[in-house]
Amino acid sequence: TSLMPATVAAAKPNDTVAVGVLTGIDEGVVNPAGASGRFRVEDRTITGVFTGGQITGPFTLAYHANVVLASQAGNFQGTLTSGDYEINVTGKSQAYTFFGWYAPGIPLLEIKISGRWSVLSGPEKGNGDFAASLVFIPTPDGHVYAVIPPYSGVTLTGSLD
C-alpha cells in the first residue's frame, strides 16, 4: 500500500532534540534484590552535557533500575533535567559488551540503553525515543565505577512543540 498525500503531510519528522556526552556517575544507592543476582539501583545520577539539537547545556539523569549484576541488563526509569526542562525517561539496558582496555588489566565495558522520553515540564511539550551508550570501568565485583567520555553518548529524537 502507499501513503496518501494527507498522511504524508501529517507525519512529523523525527527531529534530533538533543545530542550529548555522558560525563559522570555517582555511587548512588545500589542493593541486592534478594538472592536473585539482580540489583536494585534505588537512587543514582548520571551527569552530562547536551552539545547539539534543540536542548543544549548540562544535564543530570536521576534514575532507579533493576539490573542483573552479571550483565547490567534490566529496566530503568528516571528524570532528566536540563535547563528549564524536566523529562521523564524509561527504557532498557542491554547486556554489556567488552569495549577495550582502559589500562592493562582494567577493562572498559559498554552498555547500550534505549527507551522513550516525554517532557514533564518546560518551555515546550514533546516526546520521542532515546539511545545511549555508556562506556565504563567496572568495579572488581561488576558494578559501574566510572563513565568514560567521550565514548559515552546520548541522543534524544522526537519532537518538541
Side-chain angles (χ1 to χ4, degrees):
T1 64
S2 64
L3 294 175
M4 300 303 292
T7 305
V8 173
K12 288 188 174 182
N14 222 14
D15 293 331
T16 299
V17 174
V19 175
V21 63
L22 308 176
T23 58
I25 190 166
D26 69 7
E27 285 187 28
V29 178
V30 181
N31 293 304
S36 66
R38 298 184 73 83
F39 274 72
R40 287 188 320 270
V41 179
E42 298 174 33
D43 181 24
R44 201 156 193 195
T45 301
I46 294 173
T47 56
V49 178
F50 287 131
T51 56
Q54 297 166 278
I55 301 173
T56 58
F59 70 84
T60 60
L61 171 60
Y63 73 97
H64 59 274
N66 188 312
V67 299
V68 177
L69 178 60
S71 69
Q72 294 293 320
N75 299 315
F76 76 93
Q77 180 176 356
T79 302
L80 187 148
T81 305
S82 182
D84 292 334
Y85 287 95
E86 187 172 289
I87 299 170
N88 180 62
V89 294
T90 58
K92 293 183 179 288
S93 59
Q94 298 175 7
Y96 66 73
T97 57
F98 179 75
F99 185 81
W101 294 101
Y102 181 74
I106 302 174
L108 289 175
L109 304 177
E110 178 182 32
I111 301 171
K112 301 254 185 190
I113 306 166
S114 60
R116 300 276 305 154
W117 63 269
S118 61
V119 174
L120 297 171
S121 65
E124 300 170 299
K125 298 296 179 195
N127 61 66
D129 299 318
F130 77 89
S133 173
L134 178 73
V135 176
F136 68 99
I137 297 171
T139 63
D141 58 352
H143 295 282
V144 176
Y145 171 70
V147 172
I148 305 298
Y151 303 113
S152 299
V154 60
T155 301
L156 280 67
T157 57
S159 63
L160 289 175
D161 320 313

